[in-house]
């Protein structure tokens, strides 16, 4: 007949076994969420990278950059209206509570980032302006350090240096580049907008807006803000309705507008926010550097613009930098036992505890 001690021992072993099983399930859920986050981040970067090809056809036909951006965001907001409203049915309080962050996302991350970038390229080469804008991941690391006490570890620092060096090579900054202080200011403001996109997209609130709703609300605010600036005469807004040249063919202007709105906005913003929720702002921002690589790849495949050897090497540096940041994220947990990414709090099966990635209100 088992003694009390043996029964207690058996109960302890059963508890430990159950805990190990739960931990294993939690680890599997965390890895699955992280893998999904990386996939979403790559999809976001690649679809963002198509915007240049679509916008170039409109601008070449006489559209102003501001007109292309306003149309892009407004049509995307319209497309997202129905799915966003369906997700908010019976839960409009979510939008009321998240209105401030959604407004900041629309003004700074959507409208501001693009407006600042366009102002920068009016005063300096596109490559230099892009390099300044894509300092955004560095700003994310700095923000997490200063405001959340997440001091960057050695691998993150090395990865940051490697990624920025690779970005400089990919953008092919060789040759005399005219540096305009005002242009530098606009480029750095664009970097702030990009960092804001990832930080607000990560949304570590207890009950954040679903990615589709966040993207929709931000685009509504951004389109309204840019349209107001256009009506006030601050932004030149000109557009035509004639055929445009796209991929060496004459097509309706609607084709690149739909490409900008559906592919380079709806898909890219929603998947980008979903990636930030799973990976955290830091890792998602570094994976976002793949947008530059995808833009060069599309220029090569669609426009026949073969990348140089230096650009290929730069791409390898960017990938190495992202890998180092990823390895660093997997290798340590900040003080207090909580990682920067909410995706690292996986769903605990049978425990009644749900992760951010396991929320029923999240479609992406």
């Amino acid at each position: 007949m088992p003694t009390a001690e043996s029964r207690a021992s058996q109960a302890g072993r059963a508890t430990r076994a159950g805990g190990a099983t739960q931990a294993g399930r939690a680890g599997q859920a965390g890895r699955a969420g992280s893998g999904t986050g990386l996939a979403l981040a790559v999809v976001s970067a690649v679809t963002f990278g198509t915007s240049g090809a679509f916008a170039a056809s409109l601008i070449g036909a006489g559209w102003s950059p501001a007109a292309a951006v306003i149309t892009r965001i407004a049509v995307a907001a319209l497309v997202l209206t129905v799915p966003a409203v369906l997700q908010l049915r019976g839960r409009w309080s979510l939008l009321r509570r998240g209105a401030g962050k959604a407004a900041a996302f629309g003004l700074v991350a959507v409208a501001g980032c693009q407006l600042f970038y366009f102002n920068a390229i009016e005063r300096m080469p596109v490559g230099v302006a892009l390099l300044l804008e894509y300092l955004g991941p560095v700003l994310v690391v700095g923000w997490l350090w200063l405001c959340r006490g997440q001091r960057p570890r050695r691998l993150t620092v090395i990865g940051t240096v490697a990624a920025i060096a690779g970005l400089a090579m990919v953008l092919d900054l060789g040759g005399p580049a005219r540096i305009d202080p005002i242009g530098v200011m606009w480029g750095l403001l664009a970097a702030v907008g990009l960092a804001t996109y990832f930080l607000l997209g990560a949304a570590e609130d207890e009950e954040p807006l679903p990615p589709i709703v966040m993207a929709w609300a931000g685009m509504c605010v951004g389109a309204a803000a840019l349209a107001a600036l256009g009506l006030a005469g601050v932004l030149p807004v000109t557009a035509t309705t004639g055929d445009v040249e796209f991929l060496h063919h004459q097509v309706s202007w609607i084709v690149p507008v739909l490409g900008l709105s559906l592919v380079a906005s709806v898909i890219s913003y929603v998947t980008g926010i979903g990636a930030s929720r799973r990976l955290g702002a830091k890792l998602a921002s570094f994976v976002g550097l793949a947008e530059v690589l995808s833009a060069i790849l599309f220029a090569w495949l669609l426009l026949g613009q073969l990348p140089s050897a230096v650009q290929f090497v730069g791409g390898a540096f960017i990938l190495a930098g992202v890998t180092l940041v990823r390895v660093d994220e997997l290798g340590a947990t900040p003080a207090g036992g909580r990682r920067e990414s909410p995706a690292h709090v996986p769903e605990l099966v049978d425990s009644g505890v749900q992760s951010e990635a396991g929320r029923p209100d999240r479609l992406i």
Side-chain angles (χ1 to χ4, degrees):
M1 183 174 182
T3 64
E5 289 80 1
S6 64
R7 286 195 299 269
S9 177
Q10 289 174 357
R13 286 195 296 270
T15 300
R16 287 192 295 272
T21 301
Q22 276 195 348
R25 289 173 178 172
Q28 291 174 357
R31 287 190 294 272
S34 179
T36 302
L38 286 172
L40 290 174
V42 171
V43 170
S44 178
V46 170
T47 50
F48 265 129
T50 64
S51 62
F54 291 121
S57 61
L58 293 174
I59 293 173
W63 286 57
S64 66
V69 172
I70 293 172
T71 305
R72 166 190 184 180
I73 299 175
V75 173
L78 183 63
V79 170
L80 285 174
T81 297
V82 172
V85 169
L86 289 176
Q87 275 206 295
L88 286 172
R89 280 190 307 178
R91 299 186 301 159
W92 288 96
S93 58
L94 276 178
L95 185 58
R96 288 194 296 270
R97 289 196 298 269
K101 286 191 174 181
F105 184 82
L107 291 174
V108 181
V110 178
C113 185
Q114 298 187 54
L115 178 60
F116 299 149
Y117 173 71
F118 285 140
N119 284 337
I121 62 177
E122 286 182 350
R123 295 176 173 270
M124 61 174 55
V126 172
V128 178
L130 274 175
L131 180 61
L132 290 172
E133 180 184 6
Y134 276 91
L135 290 175
V138 179
L139 298 183
V140 170
V141 172
W143 173 271
L144 294 175
W145 183 8
L146 294 176
C147 297
R148 301 186 186 176
Q150 297 177 16
R151 182 175 181 176
R153 296 178 291 273
R154 181 178 300 177
L155 285 180
T156 291
V157 174
I158 297 173
T160 299
V161 173
I164 297 303
L167 182 62
M169 287 186 278
V170 167
L171 295 175
D172 198 9
L173 300 180
R178 180 173 58 87
I179 302 300
D180 185 309
I182 303 298
V184 171
M185 179 197 72
W186 287 120
L188 292 176
L189 286 175
V192 171
L194 185 63
T196 302
Y197 165 76
F198 289 108
L199 288 168
L200 289 181
E204 295 184 25
D205 304 24
E206 191 171 317
E207 195 172 10
L209 285 172
I212 287 178
V213 177
M214 184 72 167
W216 168 72
M219 287 177 183
C220 288
V221 172
L226 290 176
L229 291 175
L231 292 174
V234 177
L235 294 177
V237 179
T238 57
T240 63
T241 56
D243 288 348
V244 301
E245 184 177 351
F246 180 65
L247 301 182
H248 309 295
H249 296 282
Q250 290 295 318
V251 300
S252 169
W253 61 276
I254 297 176
V255 173
V257 164
L258 289 178
L260 268 178
S261 302
L262 299 179
V263 179
S265 294
V266 171
I267 296 176
S268 55
Y269 275 99
V270 173
T271 54
I273 295 171
S276 295
R277 300 278 172 90
R278 287 165 170 78
L279 302 177
K282 179 168 66 176
L283 181 56
S285 67
F286 276 89
V287 179
L289 292 173
E291 177 186 344
V292 181
L293 300 180
S294 63
I296 299 240
L297 179 63
F298 281 120
W300 178 16
L301 296 178
L302 302 180
L303 305 177
Q305 300 175 3
L306 180 67
S308 66
V310 172
Q311 287 177 313
F312 278 114
V313 174
F317 268 74
I318 290 176
L319 293 177
V322 172
T323 301
L324 288 173
V325 173
R326 173 60 176 158
V327 170
D328 202 15
E329 285 285 288
L330 292 175
T333 301
R338 183 179 178 183
R339 291 183 185 273
E340 180 258 325
S341 167
H344 291 115
V345 188
E347 186 173 353
L348 300 180
V349 182
D350 300 329
S351 70
V353 180
Q354 247 186 345
S355 71
E356 283 285 320
R359 288 185 180 276
D361 63 359
R362 173 171 297 153
L363 294 186
I364 290 185

